[in-house]
Amino acid sequence: LWFTTRRRRYGADAIIRVEQEAQDALASISTGGDLRSIIIQCYRSMVQAVRQERGIHREASVTPHEFITILSGKGLPHGPVSDLTRLFEEARYGQQGQGTFGMRQQLEAIGCLEEIVDESEVRRSEEMGI
C-alpha cells in the first residue's frame, strides 16, 4: 500500500510539474516571448520532471521517444505530447536555427500546451476522486 501510494504521489507530482511548465509556456507565448526559446525551455523542464520522478540523473537519459511514452502512459494525450516533442526538435535542431518560428508553430504550440494542461487537470481530478 505504501509503495502504491508513494508511486501515485510521485507520478502525480510529475504531472503537476508538467502542467505548470505548460501553463508557464502559454503565459510566455501570450506576452510575446521568443517561441523557439519558450518551447526549448518548456520541453527541457518537462523532461527534468520526468527524469526526477524516475530517478534518472544523466542528461541524455530520457530520449524524446521515452518522454512521449512516459507521459502518454500517465494519461496525457499522445498527440500533443508527440507534437510538442517534434516542435522541440524543430526548435533545437531545425534548419531555422537563427530565425523565429512562424504563426503555424505558434498555433501548434498553443494547441499542444492547452491540451496537456486540460488533460493534466482531468487526471489530477480523477486521482483526487473529484
Side-chain angles (χ1 to χ4, degrees):
L1 180 62
W2 173 83
F3 178 75
T4 303
T5 304
R6 183 171 182 217
R7 186 172 181 178
R8 277 192 187 155
R9 183 177 63 94
Y10 283 127
D13 288 348
I15 295 300
I16 290 169
R17 287 185 52 205
V18 166
E19 177 187 347
Q20 184 61 54
E21 292 303 328
Q23 289 173 337
D24 291 349
L26 284 166
S28 295
I29 291 169
S30 72
T31 60
D34 177 58
L35 184 60
R36 183 180 304 278
S37 298
I38 293 167
I39 289 171
I40 291 171
Q41 178 58 42
C42 177
Y43 182 84
R44 285 181 176 167
S45 295
M46 289 179 176
V47 167
Q48 181 64 25
V50 170
R51 201 183 293 128
Q52 286 177 344
E53 176 194 344
R54 297 194 67 197
I56 299 170
H57 300 292
R58 289 187 351 250
E59 185 65 28
S61 294
V62 177
T63 67
H65 178 72
E66 289 172 324
F67 177 74
I68 294 167
T69 302
I70 291 165
L71 291 183
S72 296
K74 293 191 174 302
L76 292 181
H78 183 272
V81 173
S82 180
D83 290 346
L84 180 64
T85 300
R86 181 185 44 74
L87 285 169
F88 164 77
E89 290 174 329
E90 202 174 311
R92 178 70 174 92
Y93 306 110
Q95 298 293 338
Q96 302 171 335
Q98 288 74 28
T100 59
F101 269 18
M103 183 58 70
R104 179 188 62 82
Q105 290 92 346
Q106 182 173 345
L107 293 174
E108 280 186 70
I110 290 170
C112 294
L113 294 167
E114 286 177 343
E115 284 189 59
I116 289 169
V117 168
D118 291 346
E119 192 60 35
S120 174
E121 289 172 348
V122 167
R123 294 290 172 214
R124 204 164 12 96
S125 294
E126 288 173 356
E127 287 180 4
M128 294 171 58
I130 296 175

